[in-house]
Amino acid sequence: MLSDLRVRKLKHLFNFVDTNNDGVLTVHDTELVADAIAALRGLKPGDDGYDNFRAGFMYYWADVREASDLNKDGVVTIDEWVTYHNEMLADPERYDATAQTSANLMFALVDVDDDGVITLDQYCGWLGAWGLTDPSALAEVKRHLDPEGKGTLTLDEVLAYTREYFYSDDPGSPGNWSMGPL
Ligand SMILES: [Ca+2]
Ligand SMILES: [Ca+2]
């Protein structure tokens, strides 16, 4: 049984990835993000690399939607989302594989020079592709995820914050801010 805080974080994540704000998660949400992330990288339809770039992103999200669409009607509801995560998070190996894949994908898309480190600005650009563009919200994300102001995040730091996001019952955990203010 998940705590109220953890359920709240799962619902927040659902609303975060429901980029067209229609209350369900479908392929349309991820198409919007794929185009926004491609634009971050300066890629548009027809450019070299655009199709590969987009395909990797869409492939990962097709898996997530497939796994969380419990009644297989083609849309993921918030209840399905919470139920899916409740089961996934109870299986440490499954969680590790999912979190690693997700973080690797984010780095593959955001870490332009491929040195295993992203800047907080790049991280916030990633959040912006999902629709989180409010400057004060992004400033809070930076303050919590980078308290020393070093300006960068490693893959391990992102994985640690992600773990806090999904598992921590502490309202003060910095990782709770991974997807913006709850
Ligand atoms: Ca949607
Ligand atoms: Ca469904």
Side-chain angles (χ1 to χ4, degrees), residues 69-73 75-77 80:
D69 180 12
L70 303 178
N71 70 353
K72 304 300 173 201
D73 68 347
V75 302
V76 179
T77 64
E80 287 177 316

Short mmCIF file of all heavy atoms in Angstrom, two decimals, residues 69-73 75-77 80, ligand 2:
data_model
loop_
_atom_site.label_atom_id
_atom_site.label_comp_id
_atom_site.label_asym_id
_atom_site.label_seq_id
_atom_site.Cartn_x
_atom_site.Cartn_y
_atom_site.Cartn_z
N ASP A 69 -1.47 0.12 -19.67
CA ASP A 69 -2.86 0.07 -20.17
C ASP A 69 -3.44 -1.30 -19.79
O ASP A 69 -3.50 -2.22 -20.60
CB ASP A 69 -2.87 0.27 -21.69
CG ASP A 69 -4.28 0.22 -22.26
OD1 ASP A 69 -5.26 0.25 -21.47
OD2 ASP A 69 -4.39 0.12 -23.50
N LEU A 70 -3.87 -1.40 -18.55
CA LEU A 70 -4.19 -2.71 -17.98
C LEU A 70 -5.39 -3.36 -18.66
O LEU A 70 -5.44 -4.58 -18.80
CB LEU A 70 -4.42 -2.59 -16.47
CG LEU A 70 -3.23 -1.98 -15.70
CD1 LEU A 70 -3.58 -1.84 -14.22
CD2 LEU A 70 -1.95 -2.79 -15.87
N ASN A 71 -6.38 -2.58 -19.09
CA ASN A 71 -7.55 -3.19 -19.74
C ASN A 71 -7.44 -3.17 -21.27
O ASN A 71 -8.38 -3.52 -21.97
CB ASN A 71 -8.85 -2.53 -19.27
CG ASN A 71 -9.00 -1.10 -19.80
OD1 ASN A 71 -8.08 -0.55 -20.40
ND2 ASN A 71 -10.17 -0.51 -19.57
N LYS A 72 -6.27 -2.78 -21.77
CA LYS A 72 -5.95 -2.86 -23.21
C LYS A 72 -6.98 -2.17 -24.10
O LYS A 72 -7.38 -2.70 -25.15
CB LYS A 72 -5.80 -4.34 -23.64
CG LYS A 72 -4.77 -5.11 -22.83
CD LYS A 72 -3.38 -4.52 -22.92
CE LYS A 72 -2.39 -5.19 -21.98
NZ LYS A 72 -1.20 -4.34 -21.68
N ASP A 73 -7.41 -0.98 -23.67
CA ASP A 73 -8.35 -0.25 -24.52
C ASP A 73 -7.67 0.89 -25.27
O ASP A 73 -8.32 1.73 -25.89
CB ASP A 73 -9.54 0.28 -23.69
CG ASP A 73 -9.11 1.37 -22.72
OD1 ASP A 73 -7.88 1.53 -22.50
OD2 ASP A 73 -10.00 2.06 -22.18
N VAL A 75 -5.96 3.44 -24.12
CA VAL A 75 -5.68 4.65 -23.35
C VAL A 75 -5.32 4.24 -21.92
O VAL A 75 -5.81 3.24 -21.40
CB VAL A 75 -6.87 5.65 -23.32
CG1 VAL A 75 -7.27 6.07 -24.72
CG2 VAL A 75 -8.05 5.08 -22.56
N VAL A 76 -4.42 5.02 -21.32
CA VAL A 76 -4.03 4.77 -19.94
C VAL A 76 -4.72 5.80 -19.06
O VAL A 76 -4.54 7.01 -19.24
CB VAL A 76 -2.50 4.88 -19.77
CG1 VAL A 76 -2.10 4.64 -18.31
CG2 VAL A 76 -1.78 3.90 -20.70
N THR A 77 -5.53 5.30 -18.12
CA THR A 77 -6.20 6.20 -17.17
C THR A 77 -5.28 6.40 -15.96
O THR A 77 -4.33 5.65 -15.75
CB THR A 77 -7.53 5.60 -16.69
OG1 THR A 77 -7.24 4.40 -15.96
CG2 THR A 77 -8.46 5.29 -17.85
N GLU A 80 -5.19 3.25 -13.84
CA GLU A 80 -4.29 2.23 -14.42
C GLU A 80 -2.83 2.59 -14.15
O GLU A 80 -2.01 1.73 -13.85
CB GLU A 80 -4.53 2.11 -15.93
CG GLU A 80 -5.81 1.41 -16.29
CD GLU A 80 -6.04 1.36 -17.80
OE1 GLU A 80 -5.82 2.39 -18.47
OE2 GLU A 80 -6.45 0.30 -18.29
CA CA B 2 -6.78 1.47 -20.40
#
